[in-house]
Structures are given as C-alpha cells and as structure tokens.
Amino acid sequence: GAVVSQHPSWVICKSGTSVKIECRSLDFQATTMFWYRQFPKQSLMLMATSNEGSKATYEQGVEKDKFLINHASLTLSTLTVTSAHPEDSSFYICSADARQGGYGYTFGSGTRLTVV
Amino acid sequence: DAKTTQPNSMESNEEEPVHLPCNHSTISGTDYIHWYRQLPSQGPEYVIHGLTSNVNNRMASLAIAEDRKSSTLILHRATLRDAAVYYCIPAQGGSEKLVFGKGTKLTVNP
C-alpha cells in the first residue's frame, strides 16, 4: 500500500516551453503532497507543499509563477515548470503524506527534466 | 528545523551489520526521528521512524539515545541492495514537511 506514481520519469524539452509533471497517490488519499528538486550529487530541496483544494505553500526562494502547482483532487498533484530554461534541468520528486496508513511519507520515483 | 550531522560516507561488507549514526542535538521534544534512504536515480524510501523508544521493523532497527540528541540506524545484515544515501530527519509529529540534509552514502562491498 501507499504507492505514489510520478509521470513522466524523464522528459526533454526546449527552452521556453512548459512541462507538466504528475504525481498520483494510487491507493490512498493525499491531502498534502510535496515537491522537491534535486541537483546532481546534492540532497533534496523542498520546493513547495501542495494542499488539496487550496494554494500551494512555496519555500523561500522558489518562484511560484515559474513552478505552478495544482492539487485539484485527493489523488493528484501536478507541477508545471513554465518557460523552462537549462538551469531548471534537475530531478523533480513528489511525495505524499501516507502516515495515517503507517507508511510514512511516500515518494514518487522522480522525473528527470532536461531543458535544451 | 533541527540540524543533523551524519558522516558523508560509510562502507560495509555484505552480510555484516551496519550502524549509521546521526547527531541531532537541537531536536525538540516533539520531533520524531525519521530515516529515509535513496537509491541512485530514485525517490527516497521510508526506512523507519521513532520518538523515544528503540524501534524495529523488517528493514532496520532504530536506536535512540536516552537524551534523544543522537540516533543510530542499524541494518542487521547489509546486502548490495542496501547501498544508498541514508537520511536522518527530525520532524514534528504534526509537521507536514521533511527537510533533507546531506545524508550518508553507504557503500556495500561484496
């Protein structure tokens, strides 16, 4: 139980285009989901907390207009990287709170974004 | 958020026990101690968590110091699949976010 599915697993896009990453909780409902970014050989950096039915809470230094988060249902949160640039190339990981089921915070398998 | 100190890296041999230490001297009384691990190019995976008492599950054991300023993750018999970066994360029970430090990269030698 407590599986989080993240899609796509990798994507290549051109500079200036937008990319949407989906994060789904498959067998539980997730009121709260989290989005992280990880650069090579670095730790995960929390970008924002996504709450179902309300606006996301962004961490300091994360541009909310560039990284659009939508959490319209209890099983789906999306992260859209708008007007992507090469410096946005990174590994993006979502997470959902599955503690009620005793599974801790459950993470997706990540999305490798490459902007060319 | 409580600060953590973990060794940058550790090595172990296959089938031997591994003790991964973590110092969290600024932990608050309500913080749980979470351990996650991340295999290369994957999302983190939950390992174990505890508050005050030692905890065991099928993956590992967690030994928490009496003053709660440090903890040790114990892998009883390391396998090659245990090679990963291990993160120790203090977080409040009611808090909804996990803040990752640098973690310990564990190498398991065959």
Side-chain angles (χ1 to χ4, degrees), chain A residues 32 34 36 38 42-44 46 49 51 59 91 93 97 99 102-110 112, chain B residues 34 36 38 41-46 49 87 91-103 105:
Chain A
T32 305
F34 308 89
Y36 294 82
Q38 185 175 33
Q42 294 187 22
S43 186
L44 285 77
L46 180 65
T49 301
N51 298 298
E59 295 297 308
F91 192 50
I93 307 167
D97 185 352
R99 289 177 294 169
Y103 297 103
Y105 293 86
T106 302
F107 289 79
S109 55
R112 175 78 58 194
Chain B
H34 300 257
Y36 283 76
Q38 186 180 24
S41 299
Q42 294 188 29
E45 173 188 30
Y46 169 79
H49 77 284
Y87 297 96
Q92 289 185 2
S95 175
E96 295 183 327
K97 62 182 183 180
L98 294 180
V99 178
F100 286 76
K102 295 183 178 180
K105 182 176 181 179

Side-chain angles (χ1 to χ4, degrees), chain B residues 17-71:
Chain B
V18 182
H19 290 230
L20 297 164
C22 180
N23 286 321
H24 31 76
S25 58
T26 61
I27 194 170
S28 76
T30 57
D31 282 352
Y32 283 78
I33 301 157
H34 300 257
W35 282 82
Y36 283 76
R37 71 181 185 182
Q38 186 180 24
L39 280 65
S41 299
Q42 294 188 29
E45 173 188 30
Y46 169 79
V47 178
I48 201 167
H49 77 284
L51 184 61
T52 54
S53 304
N54 295 343
V55 185
N56 300 294
N57 66 21
R58 62 180 178 82
M59 287 182 70
S61 295
L62 176 60
I64 301 172
E66 199 169 328
D67 62 5
R68 295 197 348 110
K69 293 185 176 182
S70 65
S71 62

